[in-house]
Amino acid sequence: MSIYSKLTDTDLAALLTQSNRLAFAEIYDRYKGILFVHAYRRLANSEEAEDVIHDLFINLWNKREDLNIKNHMSGYLYTALRNRIFDVISRKKIESAYMASIDLNLVASAYITDHKVRESELAKIIEKEIAALPEKMREVFLLSRKQNLNHKEIAEKLGISEQTVSKQITRALRILRMRLGIVVYIIYIFKLH
């Protein structure tokens, strides 16, 4: 049992704002299970629940220096989780509406202009989500997808390991899949190749 497991949430939050990785690990271990159960109950999909939890903790770490958790870590995490669940549900509705509109466009080919407008809007949404990726992750992802560099070339260009490149691309794809919905994600990935 580590000394961190004996600390209060308030103490862990204070250490987290100081970039203490062990405090972060303790928060993760303390809350990941119960947060997953809560997310799974709402989303009824274990992969989506895992992605939401993963995104929540990435965001917690990325914003650690700006955190202002005065009362309860659990309340903060549940609120952040609830907001992410709402985002997933909202994206599903948008995806469903988008798929319905695609069906209509296939039937009524006279509306090609409308399709092009939607495609342009979709491209803007995708670009916006790519721009929202953490800086290093975005840089690696863009070098891979836009400049078609392989992992070795990216690693040499950025002075990082190929394994880091691979992890960054995998994480970027997971985040984009979660944020954009699987159908939009697949369309985007196939357009790149």
Side-chain angles (χ1 to χ4, degrees):
M1 179 178 276
S2 82
I3 60 167
Y4 288 89
S5 64
K6 297 175 184 175
L7 295 176
T8 66
D9 286 354
T10 305
D11 293 335
L12 289 171
L15 290 169
L16 179 62
T17 62
Q18 299 168 14
S19 299
N20 186 307
R21 292 181 185 275
L22 294 175
F24 175 76
E26 177 60 32
I27 293 167
Y28 179 81
D29 290 340
R30 195 175 285 186
Y31 286 102
K32 72 177 177 188
I34 191 72
L35 291 173
F36 174 82
V37 169
H38 184 70
Y40 182 76
R41 283 183 188 153
R42 301 283 187 198
L43 298 171
N45 181 309
S46 62
E47 189 172 310
E48 285 179 348
E50 284 179 23
D51 286 345
V52 167
I53 300 302
H54 182 77
D55 184 53
L56 181 138
F57 281 103
I58 286 174
N59 194 53
L60 180 67
W61 179 256
N62 288 340
K63 295 185 176 183
R64 66 192 176 278
E65 294 172 357
D66 300 324
L67 287 179
N68 189 13
I69 303 171
K70 293 182 178 175
N71 294 328
H72 300 285
M73 175 69 71
S74 60
Y76 175 85
L77 292 173
Y78 276 109
T79 299
L81 178 64
R82 184 190 68 215
N83 292 338
R84 279 171 175 71
I85 290 170
F86 287 153
D87 287 346
V88 169
I89 292 169
S90 175
R91 283 190 185 98
K92 282 182 178 181
K93 288 179 182 176
I94 291 170
E95 178 183 319
S96 178
Y98 181 74
M99 292 309 295
S101 72
I102 287 176
D103 289 343
L104 290 174
N105 284 334
L106 291 174
V107 172
S109 62
Y111 297 106
I112 292 173
T113 304
D114 183 52
H115 179 73
K116 288 187 178 187
V117 168
R118 288 180 187 276
E119 189 174 301
S120 174
E121 289 172 358
L122 178 60
K124 288 177 188 174
I125 291 169
I126 292 169
E127 291 303 321
K128 180 181 174 192
E129 291 300 336
I130 291 172
L133 292 171
E135 183 179 337
K136 276 292 183 192
M137 186 183 294
R138 180 177 62 246
E139 184 178 13
V140 169
F141 184 80
L142 290 174
L143 287 172
S144 170
R145 295 306 193 255
K146 299 273 181 166
Q147 295 185 18
N148 296 317
L149 298 180
N150 64 35
H151 291 191
K152 184 177 182 180
E153 292 169 330
I154 295 169
E156 290 173 359
K157 183 170 184 155
L158 299 179
I160 57 178
S161 72
E162 286 184 54
Q163 183 180 9
T164 300
V165 170
S166 179
K167 285 181 182 178
Q168 291 288 356
I169 291 172
T170 300
R171 287 180 183 148
L173 290 172
R174 175 182 267 175
I175 290 169
L176 290 173
R177 184 182 70 227
M178 186 194 71
R179 290 183 179 167
L180 296 172
I182 192 68
V183 173
V184 174
Y185 166 80
I186 289 170
I187 290 168
Y188 176 69
I189 295 304
F190 284 132
K191 278 189 174 183
L192 291 174
H193 297 297

